Amino acid sequence: MAATILVVEDEPAIQELISYNLELAGHHALKAQSAEEALDMVRTALPDLVVLDWMLPGMSGIEFARKLRADKRTQGVPLILLTARADERDKLHGLETGADDYLTKPFSPRELNARVKAVLRRRAPQATDDAVDIAGLKLDPVSHRVTGNGSPLALGPTEFRLLHFLMTHAERVYSRTQLLDQVWGDHVFVEERTVDVHIRRLRKALEPSGHDRLIQTVRSAGYRFSPAA
Ligand code: CA
């Protein structure tokens, strides 16, 4: 499944190179030339990952990282920091501000893609191609197939994304707003009750194998995927 990756880099040539390579790897790249521009973009929709240059005009990469981590809505967004400095102290500083990984310039596209993959696998498993299998319910992002106890289940595209997110974040409760951010990528332009509509459709689709019971309503909090009763 393609991840939406926001690339914050002020040097156009490097920006192009990174974005081009991420697109080649099957991702969707969003470009920002400054931290200010990136903040505006993040306000509208949450990316699956941010690739952030340390040295930016205006607000620095570090300041931007701090702002992301200080806001409850954006604190979970995975972050890879790009730095031209090889200094160990700076790397440490970068990790302390909440970066999940860092790359020292110059780096190869292959190295960047490997780091992106590793961070997504760890922090945003719904944005990877790994198959998920919980309590007889199987979801395969590559073939876009879902089976319940071995029998195929028919899901619409939104229900598929919703189930993928919930299965990769089992046992955690998500509010409607969080689900809009994570699954629709947008908390501004979609109404909260849209979530309820798709949860209903998802349960209906999982009914044939009895897996609809794994989609649990947590009163006044949201929804949770759990094989436990
Ligand atoms: Ca720069």
Side-chain angles (χ1 to χ4, degrees):
M1 193 169 282
T4 301
I5 302 178
L6 173 60
V7 183
V8 194
E9 165 66 78
D10 59 307
E11 288 155 71
I14 300 177
Q15 166 71 268
E16 266 316 305
L17 182 74
I18 294 172
S19 304
Y20 175 74
N21 278 292
L22 290 174
E23 300 265 356
L24 269 189
H27 301 300
H28 176 50
L30 300 174
K31 302 172 198 173
Q33 247 100 55
S34 68
E36 289 82 353
E37 191 187 343
L39 269 183
D40 270 346
M41 293 168 82
V42 166
R43 252 175 230 133
T44 313
L46 279 188
D48 295 309
L49 184 135
V50 177
V51 174
L52 175 67
D53 188 26
W54 174 299
M55 299 290 281
L56 292 166
M59 188 192 299
S60 73
I62 294 296
E63 262 178 271
F64 175 74
R66 285 212 184 94
K67 274 192 199 295
L68 280 190
R69 291 301 180 244
D71 183 342
K72 200 162 174 255
R73 182 176 160 259
T74 54
Q75 66 186 6
V77 176
L79 198 62
I80 295 178
L81 200 61
L82 304 179
T83 166
R85 314 167 183 194
D87 191 299
E88 281 303 319
R89 242 185 358 207
D90 287 341
K91 283 177 186 169
L92 202 63
H93 186 48
L95 292 172
E96 275 169 4
T97 53
D100 295 279
D101 205 350
Y102 61 86
L103 272 171
T104 305
K105 291 178 184 175
F107 50 82
S108 69
R110 191 190 290 182
E111 194 181 358
L112 174 69
N113 284 336
R115 299 294 181 94
V116 164
K117 202 170 178 178
V119 169
L120 284 176
R121 189 161 279 164
R122 199 165 75 234
R123 300 286 316 283
Q126 78 282 4
T128 71
D129 278 341
D130 298 344
V132 204
D133 184 349
I134 299 173
L137 184 63
K138 256 188 199 173
L139 180 147
D140 184 358
V142 178
S143 62
H144 225 264
R145 285 202 176 110
V146 179
T147 57
N149 303 326
S151 303
L153 299 169
L155 269 70
T158 306
E159 286 70 50
F160 186 90
R161 284 205 310 276
L162 186 56
L163 181 62
H164 194 193
F165 178 78
L166 289 171
M167 286 183 81
T168 49
H169 296 80
E171 302 300 339
R172 273 174 269 176
V173 180
Y174 288 92
S175 69
R176 289 164 180 81
T177 310
Q178 285 173 319
L179 288 173
L180 283 176
D181 263 340
Q182 298 287 346
V183 178
W184 280 257
D186 193 326
H187 73 131
V188 182
F189 303 110
V190 189
E191 286 184 68
E192 288 198 0
R193 65 170 176 223
T194 303
V195 176
D196 301 325
V197 171
H198 288 281
I199 287 278
R200 215 157 37 233
R201 284 187 197 155
L202 176 58
R203 281 183 174 140
K204 188 102 189 132
L206 300 181
E207 251 174 35
S209 60
H211 286 99
D212 52 311
R213 68 178 176 84
L214 304 193
I215 313 289
Q216 303 172 352
T217 304
V218 182
R219 201 200 284 229
S220 74
Y223 296 102
R224 169 180 58 208
F225 181 92
S226 171

